[in-house]
Amino acid sequence: MVDFFRRTLRKVDKLNAEQRKELLISAIGEISLLENVLDSIDMGILVCDESDNLIMVNKCAQRLIPMNYIEGVKLKTAITEEKIIESFKDIIVSRERVANKEIDVHNQGRNRLLSVNVVPLVQEKRITGTLIYIEDITEKRKGEERLRRAENLASLTTLAAGVAHEIKNPLGSISIHLQLLQKTLLKNFKSADKSTDKYFNVLKEEIERLNRIVVDFLFAVRPMNLELREGDLNKLITQIIDFVRFEMEQQNIECALELDSSIPYILIDERYMKQAILNLVKNAQAAMPDGGVFTVASSISDNEIKISVRDTGVGISKDNFTKIFEPYFTTKESGTGLGLTQVYKIVREHHGEITVDSIEGEGTEFKISLPLPQKETKLIGFEKK
C-alpha cells in the first residue's frame, strides 16, 4: 500500500480534484485501519523518534503504564511514575535490543509485572527511533506460581504420611517415658533439685513443639475430608474479628469490616475456612508490630465471592513474594512456615483461588475468590436483566 501511494504521489499534479479527494480518503482509511489494529493488540506499543519523543502510543500501553500522553512529548515527561522512568531511561539510552526485561508497576490500584522488549526502529538502513512493546505477564506469573505450589504439595504428599508417622510415634513414646522417668526420680529422690524440674519442663515443651510441627505438616499435605454445609461468610468473618479485636487494639491496630450484605450462603466447611481466614488475620497482625489499620472485606462480582484481608504493615519483599505459599518458608523467628500453605490448601479444596498484592513498607492484601453456587449465578444473571 505504501508503494501505491508513492507511485500516486508522483502523478498527483496530473490528478483532478475528485481524484485527489479519493486518494486522501483512501489514505485516511489506511491510517485508521492501522490505528485500529494497534489499539486492538493486547500488548502495549510505544514508538519514539531519535530524540526519544513519543510519536505513537496504543491504548494498551496507556492502560499498562501511568502516563499523560501527548504526541511529540518526551517519553520521560509522559510517564508519571519515577520508577518506570528510571527503567526506561536505561533501556533507551543503550540503543540496544532488550528482550523480556521485567519491571514492577503500581497502576490503578494494582501491582503489575510487565515484560518490556525494545528494538531499534530502522528505516532505509538507518536507525530512526525506538520501538517498545510491553506485555502484562502478571497473570502468567501467578499461574506459574500456582502450578509450582501444586507440584510442591503433590511431591510432599507422597512422602508425608510415612515420614510424619515415623516421627510422631517415637515422639509419643519419648513423652510417655519422660513422664515415667520423672515419677521414678521423684519417688526415689524426694528432695530432687529444682533444676531437675526445669530440665524436664524444657524437654516437655520441645516434645510438644515437635508434635505441633508434625500435626501442622500432616494437615498441610493430607487430603482433606471437607464437610460442606451452607454457611454465612459474613457471620464467620465477624466472629473471627470479634475474637481478635481486643488483642489487635492492645497493639494499636484498628480493625475495620467492609462486608457486602448481599452475599448469599455458600457451601463451605466452616472449621477449615475459619482457620484459613484466622491464619491471614494473624499474619496481618504480625506485620504491624507498631500498629496500623487492618481491614477484612467481602464482595460479590463475576460469579465469585471475594474476601480481602489487607493491612498497612511492613509488606513483603520482592525476593520473598513468590515463596510465601511454599511449605516451610517463613520470615518469623518462631514460625513453622506452614500457615500460608494451609490457607492455600483450604482455599483450593473449596475450588477457590488465593492471590496476594504487596508493596514493601506500605502493606499487603490477600484476596480469596470462591465460586458462587450455580443456582446463585443464574439468579444474579436474571436480576441483571
Side-chain angles (χ1 to χ4, degrees):
M1 187 55 71
V2 173
D3 289 338
F4 167 75
F5 282 117
R6 282 175 177 167
R7 289 195 302 271
T8 307
L9 191 61
R10 296 190 195 105
K11 304 174 184 177
V12 71
D13 293 336
K14 300 177 183 178
L15 300 178
N16 59 38
E18 188 63 30
Q19 288 173 322
R20 291 178 183 177
K21 182 180 178 181
E22 287 178 4
L23 180 65
L24 186 59
I25 291 171
S26 178
I28 291 170
E30 289 299 319
I31 294 170
S32 178
L33 175 62
L34 175 61
E35 288 180 346
N36 288 336
V37 169
L38 289 174
D39 286 338
S40 300
I41 293 173
D42 193 21
M43 183 178 288
I45 296 175
L46 301 94
V47 183
C48 300
D49 62 18
E50 290 179 284
S51 302
D52 301 335
N53 299 311
L54 283 170
I55 54 178
M56 186 183 293
V57 176
N58 73 343
K59 288 181 179 177
C60 184
Q62 295 180 60
R63 287 196 304 270
L64 294 177
I65 298 175
M67 64 164 60
N68 296 318
Y69 169 61
I70 301 171
E71 188 175 337
V73 72
K74 290 220 175 268
L75 178 63
K76 65 179 182 179
T77 304
I79 296 173
T80 57
E81 189 171 314
E82 190 64 35
K83 183 180 177 182
I84 304 175
I85 294 171
E86 289 301 316
S87 298
F88 275 97
K89 188 193 299 179
D90 296 337
I91 290 171
I92 293 174
V93 168
S94 66
R95 296 293 180 189
E96 295 178 356
R97 289 179 179 269
V98 175
N100 302 319
K101 179 182 174 67
E102 295 183 0
I103 60 173
D104 293 306
V105 176
H106 186 71
N107 188 22
Q108 298 177 354
R110 287 186 59 199
N111 289 323
R112 286 191 171 106
L113 181 63
L114 304 182
S115 175
V116 180
N117 292 267
V118 181
V119 294
L121 191 63
V122 179
Q123 188 175 7
E124 297 179 353
K125 298 181 181 181
R126 187 176 69 85
I127 295 176
T128 58
T130 307
L131 170 64
I132 305 168
Y133 54 100
I134 305 162
E135 183 182 4
D136 185 348
I137 59 172
T138 310
E139 294 305 318
K140 179 182 176 182
R141 281 286 183 272
K142 286 179 179 178
E144 290 171 354
E145 288 166 18
R146 284 195 293 268
L147 179 61
R148 182 161 51 82
R149 285 183 221 127
E151 289 172 347
N152 285 343
L153 281 175
S155 63
L156 277 172
T157 303
T158 58
L159 57 90
V163 172
H165 282 297
E166 287 299 322
I167 296 171
K168 193 172 176 61
N169 291 340
L171 277 178
S173 178
I174 291 169
S175 180
I176 291 168
H177 284 81
L178 190 64
Q179 292 174 41
L180 292 172
L181 180 60
Q182 190 174 20
K183 287 179 181 178
T184 303
L185 282 172
L186 288 171
K187 182 179 178 181
N188 295 330
F189 303 95
K190 293 182 180 179
S191 59
D193 192 338
K194 288 183 179 180
S195 61
T196 306
D197 285 338
K198 179 183 175 182
Y199 299 144
F200 273 111
N201 289 335
V202 169
L203 289 171
K204 286 177 183 176
E205 287 173 7
E206 290 303 300
I207 289 170
E208 288 173 7
R209 187 174 70 85
L210 287 171
N211 195 55
R212 284 196 302 271
I213 291 172
V214 173
V215 169
D216 286 346
F217 177 74
L218 282 170
F219 177 84
V221 297
R222 270 181 178 168
M224 288 181 182
N225 295 317
L226 297 184
E227 296 179 9
L228 298 175
R229 294 187 178 88
E230 282 197 339
D232 185 342
L233 273 175
N234 284 344
K235 182 179 177 181
L236 185 146
I237 291 168
T238 303
Q239 288 173 347
I240 292 170
I241 298 305
D242 288 343
F243 175 70
V244 301
R245 189 182 295 277
F246 178 77
E247 189 179 349
M248 291 280 197
E249 288 174 352
Q250 293 297 304
Q251 286 185 225
N252 295 319
I253 296 173
E254 179 186 338
C255 298
L257 285 176
E258 298 174 0
L259 305 180
D260 185 343
S261 59
S262 68
I263 287 178
Y265 280 50
I266 63 168
L267 291 174
I268 55 172
D269 188 312
E270 288 197 4
R271 298 168 304 156
Y272 286 132
M273 189 55 65
K274 186 175 287 187
Q275 182 172 351
I277 297 173
L278 185 60
N279 280 2
L280 294 179
V281 169
K282 290 295 183 182
N283 258 38
Q285 183 179 357
M288 296 184 286
D290 300 320
V293 180
F294 163 72
T295 308
V296 182
S298 65
S299 60
I300 183 168
S301 65
D302 301 327
N303 298 330
E304 289 181 328
I305 290 175
K306 300 181 185 294
I307 302 167
S308 164
V309 180
R310 60 183 182 269
D311 63 66
T312 57
V314 295
I316 302 168
S317 71
K318 187 177 179 181
D319 292 338
N320 294 337
F321 201 77
T322 59
K323 305 174 187 175
I324 57 172
F325 292 110
E326 292 182 1
Y328 297 110
F329 176 79
T330 181
T331 57
K332 302 173 186 174
E333 291 182 6
S334 58
T336 63
L338 290 169
L340 288 177
T341 303
Q342 292 173 359
V343 174
Y344 176 79
K345 185 175 177 63
I346 291 168
V347 172
R348 293 295 293 160
E349 290 284 339
H350 282 82
H351 305 292
E353 295 286 348
I354 181 166
T355 58
V356 58
D357 286 319
S358 185
I359 300 175
E360 196 169 0
E362 294 186 22
T364 300
E365 180 178 17
F366 285 92
K367 299 175 185 175
I368 296 174
S369 300
L370 299 171
L372 268 173
Q374 193 63 31
K375 63 178 181 179
E376 297 293 346
T377 303
K378 290 178 181 177
L379 284 171
I380 290 171
F382 178 77
E383 288 171 0
K384 286 181 179 177
K385 292 178 183 178

